[in-house]
Amino acid sequence: MKELGGSMAGKTAGFLKDDTLINFVFELDGLQRFPTELKRCSRSKPSGKMVDVLPLNRILKSKETIRLPKDIAEIQLIKETIRLNR
């Protein structure tokens, strides 16, 4: 996050200078091995630094597998976002 010019907001998330939320994935619960999932990523350049972005449908699959209490609301938001972007 430091390389992107932002600040950490927790162990796995931070904010860029423009308040864009960035979540870092260190474990891929419910998904395939990291090299396989990395191939599914798109590339984005927030704040001028290239990063890999996991597709929403893969994030959804992981959250539905883990089902942490904090993920329940996010699952619904991700589903709605996917529906609206079809």
Side-chain angles (χ1 to χ4, degrees), residues 61-72:
K61 180 166 177 40
S62 180
K63 288 187 175 289
E64 287 179 327
T65 299
I66 302 167
R67 295 198 64 83
L68 295 173
K70 69 177 187 71
D71 291 333
I72 302 305

Side-chain angles (χ1 to χ4, degrees), residues 14-83:
F15 289 96
L16 299 177
K17 288 180 183 178
D18 68 357
D19 290 330
T20 299
L21 173 64
I22 301 287
N23 286 289
F24 297 95
V25 177
F26 299 104
E27 294 181 36
L28 299 172
D29 295 313
L31 303 182
Q32 294 181 351
R33 296 184 62 221
F34 191 84
T36 302
E37 294 297 338
L38 184 60
K39 291 176 187 173
R40 294 183 170 127
C41 289
S42 61
R43 306 277 291 165
S44 184
K45 208 170 188 178
S47 296
K49 181 77 173 175
M50 192 65 73
V51 295
D52 296 300
V53 179
L54 198 59
L56 277 179
N57 67 323
R58 303 308 293 162
I59 295 169
L60 177 61
K61 180 166 177 40
S62 180
K63 288 187 175 289
E64 287 179 327
T65 299
I66 302 167
R67 295 198 64 83
L68 295 173
K70 69 177 187 71
D71 291 333
I72 302 305
E74 290 178 6
I75 287 169
Q76 294 308 313
L77 290 172
I78 292 170
K79 284 181 177 179
E80 183 66 8
T81 300
I82 291 170
R83 185 187 70 77

